[in-house]
Amino acid sequence: MRVTKTLLSHWNVSESEVLNAARQNTERLCPGKIMNMLGVISGMLEPSEKELFPDTEKIPHDMYVLTNINQVNGATVMMYDSFLKTEPLYA
């Protein structure tokens, strides 16, 4: 939904209040996580496709991806106030 100044006026809220609520809701509904790159790639493959990539052990095990639990638009996790302050980079 596109939030316009007209909607803000109807809702009787400020832009900063809506942005703050959006940040809190996004972090609550789509919590962040750090995944190993091999796990990400393996998770995207169907069982029949895994045989097409026999060299998965060559993927560096120290390469990680920052994403959210939906693994969609995961780069937004970089904007979460708490995530990088509280999560260890290596689990």
Side-chain angles (χ1 to χ4, degrees):
M1 166 186 257
R2 184 174 182 171
V3 178
T4 63
K5 292 188 186 280
T6 303
L7 283 176
L8 293 177
S9 177
H10 276 349
W11 295 338
N12 197 28
V13 294
S14 69
E15 183 177 336
S16 63
E17 289 174 303
V18 171
L19 287 172
N20 187 43
R23 289 182 92 165
Q24 289 176 359
N25 288 335
T26 301
E27 190 168 351
R28 180 177 53 84
L29 296 171
C30 301
K33 66 180 182 175
I34 295 175
M35 296 179 64
N36 179 287
M37 180 61 90
L38 179 58
V40 172
I41 292 171
S42 294
M44 291 189 303
L45 299 175
E46 296 292 329
S48 61
E49 296 173 318
K50 290 183 181 183
E51 64 190 36
L52 300 173
F53 298 94
D55 295 334
T56 54
E57 70 276 351
K58 293 181 182 177
I59 296 173
H61 292 279
D62 59 350
M63 185 181 294
Y64 294 88
V65 174
L66 176 62
T67 189
N68 59 41
I69 61 168
N70 302 320
Q71 291 182 241
V72 176
N73 299 323
T76 59
V77 175
M78 291 187 289
M79 300 302 293
Y80 292 0
D81 290 329
S82 63
F83 188 76
L84 290 178
K85 294 177 188 173
T86 60
E87 293 293 320
L89 287 178
Y90 301 99

